[in-house]
């Protein structure tokens, strides 16, 4: 799921987690169909396609992160991405 701020979430409802991408990652597309690009511009995730996301849970959002407008009860610091 994505929103108009370019935030991407895993899960839904009360289980929704904001995904915090490594610096330089971007999201393009629409709310219904979007792609996540790494710092080189390569597509690493696309809406509707399952991927394995490494990383781990984190505390509250930090102003130093790239997507501080993204809100959820929990965050996931994205590490390695695989298919």
């Amino acid at each position: 799921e994505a929103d108009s701020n370019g935030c991407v979430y895993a899960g839904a409802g009360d289980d929704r987690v904001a995904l915090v991408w490594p610096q330089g990652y971007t999201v393009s597309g629409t709310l219904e169909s979007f792609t996540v690009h790494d710092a080189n511009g390569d597509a690493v995730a696309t809406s509707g396609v399952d991927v394995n996301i490494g990383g781990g849970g984190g505390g509250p959002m930090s102003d130093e992160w790239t997507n501080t407008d993204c809100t959820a009860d929990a965050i996931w610091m994205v590490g390695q991405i695989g298919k």
Side-chain angles (χ1 to χ4, degrees), residues 17-20 56-63 65 70-77:
V17 175
L19 300 177
V20 179
M61 285 285 198
S62 169
D63 290 338
W65 297 346
C70 304
T71 59
D73 290 335
I75 62 172
W76 185 266
M77 305 295 290

Side-chain angles (χ1 to χ4, degrees), residues 32-47:
E32 293 80 29
S33 178
F34 59 89
T35 301
V36 178
H37 304 272
D38 65 15
N40 295 322
D42 297 325
V44 295
T46 303
S47 56

